[in-house]
Amino acid sequence: MIPSIPLQKARNYEREWAARAVPDTRPLFHLTPQVGWMNDPNGFCFYQGQFHLFYQYHPYSTQWGPMHWGHAVSDDLLRWQPRPCALAPDTPADKDGCFSGSAIPLPDGRLLLAYTGVTGAGSPDSLRQNQCIAIGDGTDFEKSPMNPVLPADLLPEAFSRQDFRDPKIWQEADGTYRMVTGNRHRTQCGTILLFRSLDALHWQLAGEIDSSRNEYGQMWECPDLFLLNGTTVLLVSPQEMRATGEFHPGYGTVVLTGTFDESACRFTRKNVHPIDCGFSFYAPQTTLAPDGRRIMIGWMENWETCAGSARPHPWFSQMSLPRELSIQNGRLLQRPVREIETFWQDTKHLQTRIQGEMALPGIHGRLTDLTVSVGISPECRLFSMDVAKDASHYVRISYESDRGELVFDRSHCGTTRDIVHIRRIPVDLQEGRLTLRLVMDRESIELFIGDGEKVITSVIPPSPEADGISFFADEPTDLTAELHHLV
Ligand code: FRU
């Protein structure tokens, strides 16, 4: 297969960058684009013995632009190797962008990519988002001559032709295919459509799985639908959310758990909650690992706040840690993939009692996996820890026991932008204890609370010297800490 001129141009550009060998302090185990801009994870799958992760990509600048698909592979979900750019907007069906989508290995050994081809972007009347297919060997992909295989103009009137995107495809045990896509209903509700196909090329609308019902945003992007321990899980990334309950306004991430009757295309909700309560998590996608784990990875940014994120490198943005998913009482639990343990070194265990502000021996670092468990006594009103700290920086994580709330405050992380820096969420103690696991990888903090029932993800600007960690409790408080440096 001979790459098109736009694809060859992107691949040459990547090669020139790699050859320049610019000194670079990338995160250790969070995927970054080879060069330029990255957003959503795409085509996350296990194929021919490796994990493949594609991503929304504009190699030529650190700003969003005509969308390509970047590509990387990994044996362990954490050590990523770049692969040549996989898709460029180079056909009549996708000339204004290859938007987000997914991948599945085909029974004949090839890899199929399903993505959104954008055309007519010059005006709202001509804009179309249609679903397209490309098939290849894991490096080079041939776009189907039948593209777009699922044109927006086939949708019933009530569904948007301009906001119809992000196909997530899978194959059923009987060999037939399914696809869910995001859409905006004319009532300004985000909605998820299900399609069926016998050959992944001819698609029929099965129905609407669920919609925001005027509650969770007006457009639903990047859906994923899967079964986890007998529960059906629907992930969506809504735009234009209003603040309600646990949700903050703007771009959010929502998990809906329940049951799904495919023949009637009816999803019955049991529980609706945020996937990640932080500032920097959007458009997550999952895949099934060969050992049966359901792994989720998200874009470690958010459209609203990314304009205020530091851009000190020739690349912009990172993927989140891959997270193992499970279900407990209808809620999604997330844990860092266990492969992170292969980075552990210099482990410190500490059991102590703190009062006032204290640093603890051996507890510091900016490339760390730290678990802290604190016995919050009835007298203790305030417990907090500062991380990524030096004389002029810190990120503060506090538990205010009167309100039963955890506050994540990155106002002093070195940011110079007036974007959201504080999140406040209700947290239930487990038998009087607060357990926090923080994974820090140079420019990010992922905080897993309790068993991972709540997560706060935040990017922070690079300030490698700010590697201090300290603790505060207003009353004598028992604390255990387990710290692993990540190397
Ligand atoms: C989500 C998203 C997708 C779209 C892509 C474009 O972040 O808006 O809906 O396919 O980004 O880059």
Side-chain angles (χ1 to χ4, degrees):
M1 182 214 135
I2 301 162
S4 68
I5 291 170
L7 184 60
Q8 197 53 58
K9 183 176 159 215
R11 290 178 168 185
N12 291 343
Y13 191 77
E14 289 172 335
R15 258 204 302 271
E16 283 158 28
W17 256 101
R20 277 193 226 172
V22 183
D24 203 351
T25 46
R26 291 187 185 239
L28 187 63
F29 49 91
H30 284 80
L31 176 69
T32 52
Q34 290 203 55
V35 57
W37 163 279
M38 174 176 85
N39 58 285
D40 314 355
N42 294 159
F44 188 23
C45 65
F46 189 80
Y47 174 64
Q48 290 186 344
Q50 286 189 305
F51 290 97
H52 287 245
L53 186 59
F54 302 82
Y55 49 86
Q56 289 286 279
Y57 183 39
H58 182 236
Y60 307 113
S61 85
T62 55
Q63 305 291 335
W64 191 87
M67 278 292 109
H68 296 57
W69 276 33
H71 187 191
V73 295
S74 175
D75 292 329
D76 64 0
L77 294 155
L78 296 169
R79 295 165 179 91
W80 292 99
Q81 294 297 324
R83 279 285 187 89
C85 178
L87 299 178
D90 55 9
T91 67
D94 59 24
K95 64 185 172 41
D96 294 324
C98 299
F99 275 20
S100 285
S102 52
I104 43 163
L106 292 174
D108 67 7
R110 295 177 302 160
L111 188 65
L112 177 146
L113 309 181
Y115 67 99
T116 300
V118 182
T119 58
S123 87
D125 286 342
S126 59
L127 175 64
R128 286 292 178 278
Q129 297 189 336
N130 301 314
Q131 312 322 319
C132 296
I133 295 289
I135 298 180
D137 61 2
T139 302
D140 296 309
F141 296 89
E142 195 105 43
K143 292 178 179 169
S144 170
M146 288 170 62
N147 281 341
V149 297
L150 177 47
D153 288 331
L154 291 185
L155 295 177
E157 270 296 293
F159 299 102
S160 169
R161 281 126 176 78
Q162 286 74 30
D163 284 308
F164 174 42
R165 55 181 177 267
D166 311 334
K168 178 80 201 285
I169 188 172
W170 70 95
Q171 197 171 19
E172 292 285 337
D174 65 1
T176 61
Y177 296 88
R178 303 286 182 277
M179 178 192 276
V180 280
T181 69
N183 195 273
R184 185 192 295 267
H185 192 266
R186 75 165 156 226
T187 55
Q188 296 301 318
C189 284
T191 180
I192 301 303
L193 303 177
L194 175 73
F195 298 87
R196 295 194 185 109
S197 171
L198 296 176
D199 58 4
L201 293 171
H202 302 84
W203 292 92
Q204 282 197 331
L205 178 63
E208 212 180 338
I209 292 190
D210 202 354
S211 86
S212 60
R213 306 181 195 166
N214 284 317
E215 226 184 332
Y216 306 109
Q218 300 183 9
M219 166 62 196
W220 276 4
E221 305 188 298
C222 301
D224 201 344
L225 183 76
F226 52 90
L227 202 60
L228 191 59
N229 310 347
T231 297
T232 299
V233 179
L234 176 63
L235 307 182
V236 295
S237 292
Q239 300 178 324
E240 302 135 338
M241 295 261 288
R242 271 177 279 117
T244 48
E246 294 181 76
F247 294 96
H248 60 75
Y251 287 85
T253 50
V254 178
V255 47
L256 303 102
T257 63
T259 52
F260 184 51
D261 172 359
E262 210 213 274
S263 50
C265 197
R266 190 180 306 114
F267 179 70
T268 310
R269 293 177 186 179
K270 288 222 177 84
N271 199 312
V272 185
H273 55 277
I275 303 174
D276 189 301
C277 305
F279 321 96
S280 320
F281 191 83
Y282 195 67
Q285 183 170 105
T286 72
T287 195
L288 211 49
D291 59 9
R293 286 178 295 165
R294 177 63 64 171
I295 314 275
M296 177 178 74
I297 201 160
W299 180 39
M300 203 152 56
E301 280 292 342
N302 167 314
W303 289 106
E304 222 105 45
T305 53
C306 73
S309 291
R311 270 161 224 240
H313 312 292
W315 49 267
F316 175 70
S317 97
Q318 314 170 43
M319 290 302 168
S320 74
L321 261 179
R323 303 170 182 179
E324 292 177 19
L325 301 183
S326 57
I327 290 275
Q328 201 177 66
N329 304 327
R331 278 192 83 102
L332 196 68
L333 302 190
Q334 303 173 51
R335 290 200 186 89
V337 284
R338 59 197 69 166
E339 285 81 350
I340 196 173
E341 294 170 20
T342 62
F343 288 82
W344 286 0
Q345 254 185 42
D346 269 341
T347 296
K348 302 263 172 323
H349 289 277
L350 264 178
Q351 184 158 12
T352 186
R353 204 167 166 77
I354 58 164
Q355 185 173 21
E357 188 174 347
M358 291 175 76
L360 298 175
I363 305 290
H364 63 88
R366 188 75 183 239
L367 255 171
T368 50
D369 185 350
L370 168 65
T371 300
V372 174
S373 165
V374 194
I376 305 284
S377 66
E379 299 78 43
C380 176
R381 310 279 286 277
L382 181 65
F383 163 79
S384 68
M385 58 189 285
D386 289 355
V387 298
K389 176 177 182 174
D390 65 8
S392 49
H393 302 94
Y394 62 89
V395 172
R396 182 160 296 166
I397 298 158
S398 322
Y399 179 74
E400 299 176 4
S401 57
D402 286 349
R403 301 171 71 141
E405 285 181 350
L406 188 113
V407 186
F408 190 107
D409 182 352
R410 61 171 183 176
S411 312
H412 298 273
C413 66
T415 176
T416 53
R417 305 298 296 256
D418 185 18
I419 53 172
V420 180
H421 294 306
I422 301 180
R423 288 271 194 255
R424 180 178 274 284
I425 59 167
V427 162
D428 292 329
L429 300 180
Q430 294 168 313
E431 292 170 7
R433 293 193 83 80
L434 173 71
T435 305
L436 305 174
R437 179 171 178 189
L438 280 96
V439 179
M440 288 194 272
D441 184 2
R442 297 201 167 113
E443 300 183 24
S444 65
I445 303 176
E446 284 162 279
L447 170 63
F448 298 83
I449 302 164
D451 292 324
E453 59 266 21
K454 294 199 177 165
V455 183
I456 292 184
T457 299
S458 173
V459 290
I460 55 173
S463 48
E465 62 294 346
D467 70 347
I469 298 178
S470 67
F471 300 90
F472 173 86
D474 62 354
E475 289 293 329
T477 296
D478 291 333
L479 178 146
T480 61
E482 180 178 319
L483 177 131
H484 310 277
H485 289 283
L486 302 171
V487 181

